[in-house]
Amino acid sequence: NIKISKMTEAATNNDEVEVILGPDLTPTRSYMDKKIYRHITLPNGLQCVLICDTVALKQRKLDGYDDDDESDDDHDDSSSGDESEVSNDGDDDDGTRKAATALLVNVGSYHDPPYLQGLSHFLEHMLFLGTEDFPIENAYDSFLSQHGGDDNAYTDMEHTLYHYCIPQDNNSKHVWKALEMFSSFFKCPLLKGEMADRELKAVESEFELNKNSDDARLSQLMSFTCGMDGAAPIMGRDFDWKDKIDGGIGSSSEKPFHPFAKFPWGNMNSLKTEPEAKGIDVMEELRDHYNSHYYAQNMRLVVMAGYELDEIQRQVVQYFKDVPANPRNNVDNGGVATTTNLHPYKLPFHSSSLGKIYRALPVRHHHTLSLTWQIPSICSHWRTKPAEYLAHLLGHEASGSILAVLKQRGWATGCSAGTGDDGEGDSSMHALFGFSFSLSEEGVQHWEKVIGVVFSYLGMLKYYFNEGYVDENGEKKEGLPRWIYNELKSVAELSYKYADEGDVTDTVEVVAEAMAPWYNIPTDRLLDGDTLLFGEVVDNDCVSRLLFNYFTPTNMRVDFMSSLFGREADFKDGTGLSPNSEEKKAEDTDEMTVEKDCAVAVFDIEKAGAPTIEPRFETKFWVETISSSIMKQWEENSTPQLPGSELELKLPPINSYIPTNFELKPLPADDSSHPLLNCSVKVCIGNGKKMQWYPACVIKFKTEKNNHLLLLHFEDEHEQWYTVDSNIVDTDADTLEAGFESSFDNGKVKFKVTAVPREGEGIVFSYGDADHDYDVEDGVAFPPIPPASPESRLPQLVYSKNSLKLWHMQDRRFKRPLADLRLNFVCDGMNDALKQACMDLFCKLCADALAETCYLASVCELGSSLYSNDTGFSIRVNGFDDKVMLLAKEVLDVVMSFRGRDGHTCLPSTIKDSRFDACLEVLRRNYSNSGMDASSFVTGLRLLCLKPSTKSSFSKLKALEGISSDKFVECMNQVLQKISVEAYYHGNVCREDADKAAQMISEALTIHHRGLPKKKVPSKLIIKAKEAVDHHLITSPTVDPTDNNTSVEVYFQIGKDDLTNRVLVDLLEHVLDEPFYNELRTKEQFGYEVSCGARWTFGVLGMSFKVTTSCKTADEASARVDRFLGEFRAQLESMSDESFMEHLVSLAKEKLEMFDSMEDECGSYWSEICEGRFDFEGHRKEVQCLKTITKESLLAAYDDWLHPICHKGKPKKRRRVVFHVIGKGSIGRPTVDDPSEIGEHVDGLVRDFHNSVKGETWGKITF
């Protein structure tokens, strides 16, 4: 039913604006989701989803709440009306979520003109550079940054999405101001030509940052070689790309054009050099692209805030009603409301591109075999998701799976299957079902047999499909056993039912993406359509078509990247290749045929001849027709039949990890749950002869001698117990809201509720009156700081014996049947590269041995991880508490099988001998790929210099040379001989559960356990940087010699952690971040990646300024950082008191933000335990300290730590270390004769730095 809603706007002189109400989405929200949803369509055709955050259910009535703040006696409290109370309830001061907005435009890279590829991405960048309403270039970003918000955008194949979030304020000024500024993107952007050249450099920098990504290179290689790039050149305005439509596989002898063949990234060549050479006006095309596609009917908007839906709707109508309904340039959009008109293009791979193997040189060390089947678009199959169903079967990792067979033969170490979740894998035109394998070196030699196993499994699935199953009525049905779909459906329902709220930005993004017209999800299923399975059985017609018609050898494309063929760096240096070979240009299409007998050998580049070069990423590749004999064998394998017994392929086993118990554990009687718990209240108490209302919050509930008692915490830190009156003993938590009034102590003490915590929130505190609450928003007062939580609400040490400590906290916030068990093992003597490398290998071997078990668990949303660190290793098991300990015991049994084996040199029975070499090969490859990205490498280099206990990947790779399983076991016997364990059990687990967990862990440590004494636990030491006028410069070439990027990190070390300095550093980051980005990134285009941030390294504070660039030298970048710090001081000194207070209040709000999920809360507390701080409410202390910070104290800290000039006008001594990682061809790049020696060069730099400071550290830091 279509309903019309009339909204009256004060801003439009009470003109009535009619909107169409869509279907009610609220009934389809998850069981734990308390938000309220509304779908509307504005008169201009803009479809919107409005989301009232959960505060609307608990903190006020939808009709509003008037707090007259009066009692029977006179008092001085002021009255507050509906608007202030509503705004206060939506306030994010005390741990509440931010407001968030996302807008999707139904245009993406597939809509780029062929002669301007990357145009949609370029336009996305340009919208951030000012509008007619807000013409200052960085006004939007500056506003969000100053008030604690952030923003971003991305361009996909068929849509572009913009989003932001911002803390919510009391009188809505900041929330709705951000919405107004955001809306102007889509009404009146400047799109100035003088800004375009600078922003083109940002697009180019983004491309350069990703140019050496093998995933991106492979994606573009597939687009370039799909055989659908048009019979005519793609450059030139006279090319009518819309007429080049292919009806399917091999329907034309020509090469028609397909949007898949485009280059979605865009760079300087595609957006400037090439079009300008053809006489194309890029800015005219950019504006035309905006005018053609950025109109209301082609957009989808999602707004989430802590305000009533009517208020959100008023604001949305006010700011978005003027977005034009139709294209601004009056282009003919075919009579449809959106620009998704790509359906006629169908499948992207021309028949000429199939039946071939594309071998490509990777940048990194890896061996990836990718199989791709093109299939019709699956967007319309959202109800039963048949492609995901088949991906589950093909990508399964348990016993009997494809991967299990390949691992048994030593050919593969991992796999993934499916269409992916981006527009490239699934679109309105087609879908690409990919199946990729990480192969071993031996697997590279048997690539065709690996594919043969895949088709044997497909043949088995076809056999079982034809055999069918018997349904509950005894009738035989076509299709695979029904329990497979039922398991997937059950797990999907459980996952959705108990899903965490998650980050607000993720929430609005997910809904906006579901609204994308090309995605095909009906409006009434926007919330759950992408997650749940709706049919009683899978769509067997679709499954049948995919299995029998599309998953065939002739419809398959094979892409193979392997460093055994060589790598880009090798080729450019001529290593391993014929020096006389010439590279083929892109238009050359000569091919070779691979015969079966030579396919088993590693590809020989010299015999293969010169490669073809993909023109954008410059990937070198060879195209080879797969021989008919190999194709015939695959065809035979794929016929409906059971595989031979030697393959041991079978359907997945019935999953024993599906949870069945979802009961929440009762809380302890002396600190139980009550609807008023954590609420903010006002209590009427006698003050002399007058009755006065005092703000307080409820912090504890207990039952004692049949009395229900609540503990109230007052603003002056006083605490008082009150007896709950009988009329509110059974108050329903779901109906409790701000404005509720009752009494304590048999009617003697009146109270009223002023704020109710939302899900995931702890104690809330609201003054409940306009005078105080407006002050918070206006920047003249801090947000209320909640009282300290009772100790019983924080992690408690419940077991401490024999070097095992276990902390426990029962969940009270999120009320989900979930648990999280985390363990950290500190081992003896982890002080050299060999032992740290062996620990890495140990974790890989254990994870490999557990892969089949852990995969079954992961299907049931039960996660596990095992990873090494400088002092030992850590384990995490999390998910439904019903099965957490079952999986944890499996993990511990394997891990602990290495202990108590002194004198043994063979691997334990839990580890198969054949897997040692396989895992060692993977680890060595990982080490060799370390630091290949300049940006991550420069940060890693800083940490290597600061943390002497950390050994580099290069040194660990060297330490593993010649290692045998015997030597490995001998090393692990030493390392695991004495260990100390710290554990944390969090979630729907009571004290009894914690005691059982401690017992299980203790037993798993085995009877041979010898604890590591506390005095033997290694200290985490940090090198003390020299305080000097001249900085210490550490310069390294990029590990990847083909990387054009240079990355610079300027690090200022401040000193040992203390509360005041920590707060000052955080405030400096808050003040500096946006101006630093605006100057170096937006205005001066130093590079795409420009950032600054506070650093906390094992108890030592610091600040880091980072620039990654492909157009500036390292010296220019680091010098510009220092010049910025010199120039910014004047801005800081002249900052108005109002602006300074806004920064303080914004940072305070950030620190008091609520946890988004149980995982976030657990992670925060676990970090305190691991670091030995145990300051579980440090955020409160930091905000309390923040209240004492003045502009003068901030300026003094800036002068002391960052400013390059002292008060006498001379260069200042600072603890400043500068790290340069210099890319190919850039000035100052150190010469390393052999790229393989870069590791030794880096280790030498680290040693030199340690020697320069004489190894001096900050000593053992205690908290």
Side-chain angles (χ1 to χ4, degrees), residues 383-384 469 472 482 485-486 489 533-538:
R383 292 184 59 82
T384 66
Y469 64 93
E472 62 273 9
R482 189 169 174 178
Y485 181 76
N486 288 343
K489 184 177 181 182
L533 299 172
F534 294 91
E536 291 302 315
V537 295
V538 71

Side-chain angles (χ1 to χ4, degrees), residues 28-34 496-498 759 815-816:
T28 65
R29 66 189 181 186
S30 73
Y31 171 74
M32 302 298 293
D33 183 3
K34 304 303 180 185
Y496 185 68
K497 180 176 182 178
Y498 297 110
E759 180 181 304
K815 300 178 178 62
R816 287 166 169 78

Side-chain angles (χ1 to χ4, degrees), residues 172-273:
S172 72
K173 182 172 70 175
H174 295 160
V175 171
W176 305 134
K177 183 68 173 180
L179 188 69
E180 179 188 9
M181 299 179 81
F182 183 69
S183 69
S184 66
F185 280 30
F186 312 103
K187 293 183 290 188
C188 52
L190 293 177
L191 301 180
K192 288 184 176 180
E194 60 265 29
M195 298 175 178
D197 285 342
R198 284 194 282 111
E199 205 55 34
L200 267 175
K201 293 178 182 177
V203 173
E204 174 72 10
S205 294
E206 186 177 357
F207 170 70
E208 287 291 340
L209 275 176
N210 291 278
K211 188 175 181 180
N212 282 6
S213 162
D214 282 328
D215 288 340
R217 293 160 69 86
L218 178 58
S219 174
Q220 186 59 32
L221 176 61
M222 293 175 70
S223 297
F224 177 67
T225 57
C226 69
M228 305 278 269
D229 56 346
I234 65 172
M235 306 297 175
R237 295 175 59 85
D238 57 344
F239 182 70
D240 190 2
W241 61 279
K242 289 186 177 180
D243 292 337
K244 298 286 186 177
I245 297 175
D246 178 53
I249 302 174
S251 63
S252 171
S253 59
E254 292 185 359
K255 284 187 176 181
F257 181 78
H258 194 288
F260 181 77
K262 294 177 183 175
F263 169 50
W265 292 84
N267 63 4
M268 195 66 77
N269 283 332
S270 71
L271 291 168
K272 183 175 176 65
T273 307

Side-chain angles (χ1 to χ4, degrees), residues 336-350:
V336 296
T338 71
T339 53
T340 291
N341 190 24
L342 302 173
H343 305 78
Y345 284 99
K346 306 297 182 184
L347 304 179
F349 295 138
H350 194 270

Side-chain angles (χ1 to χ4, degrees), residues 222 225-228 246-251 258 260 345-355 371-378 418-419 424-427 429-435 545-547 549-558:
M222 293 175 70
T225 57
C226 69
M228 305 278 269
D246 178 53
I249 302 174
S251 63
H258 194 288
F260 181 77
Y345 284 99
K346 306 297 182 184
L347 304 179
F349 295 138
H350 194 270
S351 57
S352 63
S353 70
L354 301 173
L371 317 180
T372 305
W373 292 283
Q374 55 178 355
I375 61 177
S377 173
I378 57 172
T419 57
E424 190 173 59
D426 186 14
S427 72
M429 302 174 289
H430 65 271
L432 298 179
F433 191 101
F435 198 0
R545 288 196 302 274
L546 293 177
L547 276 178
N549 299 344
Y550 288 95
F551 289 0
T552 65
T554 54
N555 187 43
M556 179 181 67
R557 173 191 173 102
V558 180

Side-chain angles (χ1 to χ4, degrees), residues 330 339 466 488 540 546 594 616 636 714 789 831 837 1045 1127:
N330 298 316
T339 53
N466 288 338
L488 293 175
N540 277 313
L546 293 177
V594 180
R616 300 301 185 186
E636 291 174 357
F714 290 88
S789 298
N831 53 1
N1045 294 294
E1127 295 165 348

